[in-house]
Amino acid sequence: MALLQIENLTVEFETASGWFRAVDGVSMSVEKGEVLAIVGESGSGKSVAMLAVMGLLPWTAKITADRMLFEGRDMRGISPADRRKMIGKDIAMIFQEPIASLNPCFTVGFQIEEVLRIHLGLDKKARRARAIELFRQVGLPNPEERLNSFPHQMSGGQCQRVMIAIAIACNPKLLIADEPTTALDVTIQKQILDLIMALQAKTGMGLIMITHDMGVVAETADRVVVQYKGRKMEEADVLTLFENPKSNYTKALLAALPENATGDRLTTVSDFFDGNPEPAPSEGLGVTA
Ligand SMILES: Nc1ncnc2c1ncn2[C@@H]1O[C@H](COP(=O)(O)OP(=O)(O)OP(=O)(O)O)[C@@H](O)[C@H]1O
């Protein structure tokens, strides 16, 4: 049984000019212990699809799916109380902006201990001990002292380590990492990526890595979903995707990597892709042989 199975997910938002479809009939699944990358440019609906799974979209969103199963359990009709028990415990998510994701009014120690209190019911002493252990696990120096820091007293990389510690606090079965390194300095990006991958390997949790960066895909993923304008353009295991991409959009993404540049100008996706996700009559969805 897949850990997460989504079929034909569509998400629409009501806007002043009518309904806007951010996710259009996307299907995907993640197995236990697998790393699935969702790649696509900004606005392709990567985050919205995962926020729909987490139940974190505003009420203005209209979500439909033929299937949305977590460990075989239907997430579509789940009550808010049951969802709250599951989110943060069995499924956790880390976001692009670590400082914005933390509450500025509370110490990071309080924030991680709240998760341990609510989901695991640990008493004060056990919470503190586990929080220190988690901070140590994510490589925060002086974990005992760090617990008393407010988010603004820490760097972006340290805040992301706190977010990761909070996310893994209850040993989730699935971690969704939404562009976890995009907002960080280049030197820190690799450290955070390595940390997430080391934790994934150690715990065997399923991991969904949302990214626009093909380098991150190459370094992390077992399997890849390529998304464009809310639609899934292609899905393949990572080697096949890089060696034999099928969709024109994936080919364009790969051709636009700086290391593949040949002329005196860096190439862009639009040099290779006309921006039309509609299939030609003889082709699959944006796919050429
Ligand atoms: N609450 C909302 N109301 C209306 N439109 C929204 C809302 N949230 C997201 N969208 C729109 O849905 C589309 C998909 O957004 P999404 O954040 O999933 O993109 P993304 O692929 O994750 O890109 P990024 O990497 O920039 O986050 C965008 O056009 C965005 O403006």
Side-chain angles (χ1 to χ4, degrees), residues 211-286:
T211 182
H212 61 266
D213 186 335
M214 279 299 203
V216 172
V217 173
E219 258 186 62
T220 61
D222 299 317
R223 209 150 47 77
V224 190
V225 164
V226 181
Q227 220 165 285
Y228 178 72
K229 286 191 176 172
R231 297 170 76 171
K232 183 164 82 172
M233 305 302 288
E234 177 163 3
E235 179 173 348
D237 70 77
V238 69
L239 277 181
T240 308
L241 190 95
F242 276 85
E243 280 173 9
N244 188 19
K246 289 275 184 288
S247 94
N248 293 334
Y249 179 63
T250 312
K251 288 176 191 170
L253 277 181
L254 292 170
L257 288 173
E259 55 266 38
N260 292 337
T262 48
D264 53 4
R265 175 177 82 80
L266 284 178
T267 47
T268 64
V269 169
S270 55
D271 290 336
F272 300 90
F273 181 65
D274 64 6
N276 181 10
E278 295 302 324
S282 60
E283 295 169 351
L285 184 64

Side-chain angles (χ1 to χ4, degrees), residues 10 15 20 31 48 74 86 91 95 106 121 130 143 174 201 203 235 250 270 275 283 286-287:
T10 294
T15 67
F20 168 70
E31 302 297 325
V48 167
D74 195 346
M86 191 186 268
I91 311 177
F95 299 92
F106 296 100
R130 175 78 175 131
L174 176 65
T203 62
E235 179 173 348
T250 312
S270 55
E283 295 169 351
V287 171

Side-chain angles (χ1 to χ4, degrees), residues 13 15 20 22 41-49 58 60 96 179 210:
F13 293 102
T15 67
F20 168 70
E41 63 198 49
S42 186
S44 56
K46 310 179 298 287
S47 305
V48 167
T60 47
Q96 196 174 122
E179 306 256 9
I210 301 177

Side-chain angles (χ1 to χ4, degrees), residues 151-173:
H152 72 271
Q153 296 171 316
M154 303 173 75
S155 69
Q158 286 177 333
C159 284
Q160 195 58 299
R161 286 180 196 272
V162 171
M163 286 306 301
I164 294 168
I166 292 175
I168 61 161
C170 304
N171 297 318
K173 294 169 183 160

